[in-house]
Amino acid sequence: MGAFRQQHKFTKHFNFKRHLNLKRYLALCLSVATFSLAADAHAQESPLKENASGEKGVKEMNHQQTGNQAHKSMAEIRVTGIDQVRGGNLIVFIFTEEGFPKKHDLALQRQVRKVSGREMTFEFPIDQQELAIKVLHDEDEDGKVTKNWTGIYPAEGLGFSNKQKVTLTGAPTYERSKILGSEVLSGLTIEMIYP
């Protein structure tokens, strides 16, 4: 009986050590995976991106986009009718239904660039089935839509997918602005509308 207790004590101790080593191994694997994801995200979020025409601008992506983007197709969004005399930045936002069109921090992606002409082209990796796009001519460079004296209507230029615009009833809805991802991949033009 004494040998059995000794054996049982040894087995219990050995299982505990094996369990402890397994926990250490899993913790190490988790930290390596986390480091790898962080490195991928850092590599994707370079502060300046140069496009085909040589312009440089800030490219920002939300935390939801830290994974590998190799499987995503690139979409070209051409913005026309820009009033370049107003100066400032042009910001293109890619949204799903959540947050569209007012909550800029909920946008899936955004690119910010200095206004450099009447037309500008932006490229985004797209894999969503449907999405909505908002373009803001941010004259005062505060990242928000500045309102006119009424406090309701925008004082800065805006453009939306599906040719939507701000009306007396308010900002366009996601349902009216949404487009298929395949439409964006074949090339999309958004015209700016100024007050």
Side-chain angles (χ1 to χ4, degrees), residues 18-34:
R18 190 169 60 179
H19 178 71
L20 186 61
N21 287 338
L22 181 62
K23 283 176 76 173
R24 286 181 183 157
Y25 175 74
L26 290 174
L28 178 63
C29 289
L30 183 62
S31 64
V32 168
T34 304

Side-chain angles (χ1 to χ4, degrees), residues 56-70:
K56 286 188 177 181
V58 177
K59 179 183 177 187
E60 300 178 19
M61 294 197 180
N62 267 358
H63 54 65
Q64 300 168 350
Q65 300 222 297
T66 56
N68 187 353
Q69 294 183 349

Side-chain angles (χ1 to χ4, degrees), residues 82-97:
I82 302 167
D83 186 354
Q84 68 187 72
V85 175
R86 294 178 181 232
N89 292 330
L90 203 66
I91 309 174
V92 179
F93 299 93
I94 306 288
F95 282 96
T96 56
E97 188 168 6

Side-chain angles (χ1 to χ4, degrees), residues 76-181:
E76 188 174 277
I77 299 169
R78 194 174 72 135
V79 182
T80 61
I82 302 167
D83 186 354
Q84 68 187 72
V85 175
R86 294 178 181 232
N89 292 330
L90 203 66
I91 309 174
V92 179
F93 299 93
I94 306 288
F95 282 96
T96 56
E97 188 168 6
E98 185 179 8
F100 180 81
K102 297 180 180 182
K103 296 183 179 177
H104 296 166
D105 57 324
L106 295 179
L108 294 176
Q109 300 181 57
R110 91 172 114 200
Q111 287 186 29
V112 181
R113 244 191 251 144
K114 287 281 186 196
V115 170
S116 61
R118 296 221 11 99
E119 289 187 9
M120 293 176 67
T121 303
F122 296 79
E123 286 188 352
F124 287 93
I126 301 290
D127 69 346
Q128 289 77 23
Q129 294 294 316
E130 64 178 33
L131 50 97
I133 300 170
K134 174 183 180 178
V135 183
L136 166 63
H137 186 159
D138 188 17
E139 296 172 42
D140 56 6
E141 300 181 15
D142 67 351
K144 303 174 189 171
V145 177
T146 303
K147 308 286 192 218
N148 69 6
W149 61 272
T150 64
I152 299 170
Y153 298 106
E156 297 174 313
L158 290 169
F160 295 95
S161 50
N162 222 6
K163 298 183 180 182
Q164 294 298 300
K165 55 187 172 184
V166 176
T167 63
L168 293 175
T169 59
T173 63
Y174 179 79
E175 283 302 312
R176 291 182 177 225
S177 303
K178 72 180 178 182
I179 53 176
L180 296 175

